[in-house]
Amino acid sequence: MIRNPIPWPNGARCDCAITFDVDADSLIHIARPKDSFDRLYPITMGRYGPTVGVPRILETYRRLGLKQSFFMPAWTMQRYPEAVEAILKAGHEIGHHGFIHEDPTEISSAQQREAFERALAIHVAMTGRKPRGYRAPVYNANQTTIDLLIEHGFVYDSSLMADDIPYQMRTARGSLYEMPPHWGSDDWPPFAHYAEIGYMMPVKSPSEGLAASFEEFEAAYEAGGFWMGIWHPFLTGRLARWRVVERWLERIVAERKVWFASLEEIAAHLDGLVKAGTYQVRVETLPYFTQPVS
């Protein structure tokens, strides 16, 4: 069971968020910078996400009345402005996902700041406001990442995995909420077959590959907790896979007491409960370590 379950709005038993990382071809360009420009197969596989997958996903959301969250590298936003416009026009959230999907743990703190703030400026220019949330590429946030988020007034992160439900991360510089993801509800393990960036997953059928996410939902629903899908339009946005998701969504919306919301909405709801004194959020104090442990 969930420890200290969060009271969700309108009597919902479970809170649900489907998040899409719209990485597109940023993945190949960051992985193979010397010759990525002439690797047409991985470029086109990535392009499928914002050009084909995103419109398909948005149409389902429109029909079912869902507002959800998308995370986009700023380079991808610049390259695919039509996708940005469509997501915003439909009322969805776009969160910070690095500049070109650079791994924060593989670059210096100065380089991370430069990329983070460069991406932040692009978000503001293209959306008219600072993003409220962040997801680290490959979930690889470090202490510099958390410090940057707090410094720039972010409300939440969605990279770390210390609980089943949203919690708070507190440092000497401030705090923010964590919307915890997990590989169990991520489409990368069952669907990513991408030798050029070091992943050769055994590609599963749509129903088998998505079964793990759906089983995670069932457990969260039974416990009265929080479930989040972490998917990519160039993977789960493909025709057969999205058909499985669409039929699942239709059933869940019709039959279950769930609150589908963007991560920004969830963080605002949680913050309201905490400030009203009606919910005690669990706190993780950072940093966990300040030097190697051995």
Side-chain angles (χ1 to χ4, degrees):
M1 296 298 294
I2 295 292
R3 179 187 59 257
N4 194 21
I6 301 169
W8 303 118
N10 303 318
R13 180 171 179 80
C14 181
D15 171 53
C16 294
I18 298 176
T19 62
F20 275 96
D21 292 353
V22 191
D23 301 329
D25 47 314
S26 67
L27 297 174
I28 188 61
H29 294 304
I30 194 67
R32 300 294 183 97
K34 292 183 179 180
D35 65 352
S36 61
F37 70 93
D38 203 26
R39 290 178 177 262
L40 301 187
Y41 131 65
I43 289 174
T44 56
M45 184 167 67
R47 283 178 58 82
Y48 184 99
T51 58
V52 180
V54 166
R56 177 174 293 142
I57 292 160
L58 291 179
E59 173 55 25
T60 300
Y61 286 173
R62 182 202 63 76
R63 185 169 60 82
L64 297 178
L66 304 182
K67 304 297 183 185
Q68 296 290 274
S69 300
F70 295 77
F71 291 89
M72 297 183 71
W75 178 90
T76 303
M77 294 174 68
Q78 289 182 310
R79 183 162 175 78
Y80 300 97
E82 297 86 358
V84 174
E85 182 179 357
I87 291 167
L88 294 177
K89 186 176 181 180
H92 303 288
E93 174 189 15
I94 298 180
H96 194 304
H97 197 40
F99 175 69
I100 191 171
H101 210 269
E102 62 283 340
D103 183 337
T105 66
E106 296 291 331
I107 57 180
S108 69
S109 294
Q111 289 171 320
Q112 185 179 171
R113 175 178 288 277
E114 191 280 330
F116 183 95
E117 293 181 344
R118 182 180 181 189
L120 190 61
I122 292 167
H123 271 269
V124 172
M126 295 189 70
T127 71
R129 67 169 196 167
K130 284 186 177 182
R132 303 301 194 268
Y134 171 86
R135 174 168 291 149
V138 205
Y139 302 137
N140 277 345
N142 56 18
Q143 191 59 48
T144 295
T145 311
I146 303 305
D147 290 343
L148 282 169
L149 293 176
I150 291 172
E151 176 185 336
H152 288 284
F154 277 65
V155 175
Y156 75 86
D157 172 66
S158 184
S159 311
L160 307 178
M161 307 182 184
D163 210 326
D164 302 303
I165 57 176
Y167 58 96
Q168 189 178 65
M169 296 189 296
R170 190 173 295 164
T171 78
R173 301 188 180 203
S175 64
L176 74 163
Y177 293 109
E178 178 61 46
M179 304 291 145
H182 190 265
W183 287 107
S185 296
D186 194 307
D187 63 355
W188 200 261
F191 295 142
H193 194 77
Y194 209 151
E196 290 79 7
I197 63 172
Y199 291 90
M200 290 293 283
M201 303 304 191
V203 178
K204 297 183 178 181
S205 71
S207 57
E208 184 183 8
L210 287 159
S213 288
F214 298 160
E215 289 182 32
E216 294 284 350
F217 164 79
E218 292 297 336
Y221 189 82
E222 180 181 330
F226 167 74
W227 173 84
M228 176 169 59
I230 308 97
W231 298 336
H232 301 76
F234 81 92
L235 295 176
T236 297
R238 297 197 72 89
L239 192 59
R241 296 166 186 172
W242 190 248
R243 182 179 63 172
V244 171
V245 173
E246 188 171 47
R247 290 175 178 174
W248 178 80
L249 279 172
E250 290 169 349
R251 180 173 62 83
I252 297 303
V253 168
E255 300 176 3
R256 303 294 185 91
K257 292 182 178 180
V258 300
W259 179 42
F260 278 97
S262 68
L263 295 185
E264 179 180 3
E265 290 177 291
I266 297 166
H269 173 70
L270 178 58
D271 193 53
L273 295 175
V274 170
K275 288 178 177 176
T278 57
Y279 179 77
Q280 185 173 356
V281 67
R282 192 174 78 79
V283 175
E284 290 268 305
T285 302
L286 276 64
Y288 294 117
F289 307 100
T290 57
Q291 62 186 23
V293 298
S294 63

